[in-house]
Amino acid sequence: MGKDLGRYLLMDEGLGFWFSLPKGTVLKNTLIDYWRGGYKRYGYVEISTLMMLNRGLWGRSGYWQH
């Protein structure tokens, strides 16, 4: 449904990862802001991790050479 509504794309280079389109990014950021409010309210600390993607994406985009 999100794909049909223009919220995200799924690509072979990142199986299991969704690539947010502008409408999807607005939705994602709204949810993140809501979650962060809860983290602060209840004393949680936020963490983050890197996403590792298939070499093909970096090759097509021109970044692999750098």
Side-chain angles (χ1 to χ4, degrees):
M1 185 167 89
K3 190 174 171 183
D4 294 336
L5 294 173
R7 303 282 195 256
Y8 63 85
L9 293 175
L10 299 173
M11 299 171 62
D12 291 338
E13 292 81 8
L15 297 175
F17 292 99
W18 64 326
F19 294 81
S20 293
L21 298 172
K23 291 178 183 178
T25 301
V26 169
L27 178 59
K28 180 187 79 165
N29 289 337
T30 300
L31 290 170
I32 288 172
D33 290 344
Y34 173 77
W35 292 326
R36 284 184 174 150
Y39 296 157
K40 288 180 183 178
R41 192 169 31 259
Y42 296 105
Y44 288 96
V45 178
E46 184 176 356
I47 64 167
S48 183
T49 186
L50 298 175
M51 289 188 221
M52 302 299 286
L53 302 173
N54 184 297
R55 178 183 170 183
L57 175 65
W58 305 114
R60 259 200 324 279
S61 66
Y63 286 100
W64 186 257
Q65 298 82 335
H66 303 287

